[in-house]
Amino acid sequence: MHAFDVLGDPVRRRILELLAEGERSSGAVTEAISAEFGISQPAVSQHLRVLRENGFASVRVAGTRRLYAVEAAPLREVDVWLDRFRGFWEQRLDALGTELARGRRRRRLDGDAVERPKHEENQ
């Protein structure tokens, strides 16, 4: 399965978000996902299996618990693929930053112009 097929499902993306906060038991993942998406424990287990089989999550056994964690390698591959497109939004973000700075400067200068006459009147 391609990385974007794995990440295309909102339930799997949410599971990864939960796991990004730290290792979680399958029960904790199931509880959170069931509450948010209204799906059954077997359905959550299937999503965890897809994540595990495609390298996005790992599992370790601790007694009777199964603990899941994010695996970074497939996410790095996605990041590398996205890198060719990053320039599209970074240029726009840079332009937005420039416009915000201009607006702050303009407000500051306008504020000084408004305050000067008041100050001069009091002298």
Side-chain angles (χ1 to χ4, degrees):
M1 188 177 277
H2 190 274
F4 287 106
D5 294 326
V6 174
L7 297 174
D9 187 282
V11 173
R12 289 193 286 266
R13 286 194 309 270
R14 181 63 181 129
I15 291 171
L16 286 174
E17 290 170 358
L18 291 170
L19 296 179
E21 295 170 3
E23 188 177 63
R24 292 187 184 237
S25 69
S26 58
V29 171
T30 298
E31 185 178 319
I33 295 300
S34 293
E36 288 183 43
F37 292 91
I39 62 175
S40 67
Q41 182 274 328
V44 175
S45 292
Q46 182 63 29
H47 285 292
L48 285 168
R49 185 172 142 249
V50 169
L51 290 169
R52 192 177 65 248
E53 288 179 352
N54 288 281
F56 283 86
S58 61
V59 64
R60 71 180 179 88
V61 177
T64 59
R65 297 172 48 187
R66 293 175 143 274
L67 300 172
Y68 286 84
V70 168
E71 288 296 322
L75 296 171
R76 276 191 222 105
E77 291 174 20
V78 170
D79 186 53
V80 167
W81 187 86
L82 286 171
D83 197 46
R84 71 183 78 171
F85 303 102
R86 195 162 276 122
F88 290 110
W89 66 79
E90 285 180 348
Q91 288 173 347
R92 291 187 179 122
L93 289 175
D94 289 344
L96 175 61
T98 300
E99 288 304 313
L100 291 172
R102 284 181 185 154
R104 284 191 298 270
R105 183 172 182 265
R106 208 172 294 128
R107 282 192 302 278
R108 192 173 53 245
L109 292 174
D110 291 346
D112 288 347
V114 170
E115 290 178 25
R116 281 190 191 128
K118 288 180 186 176
H119 178 44
E120 292 171 3
E121 289 175 0
N122 292 334
Q123 288 184 354

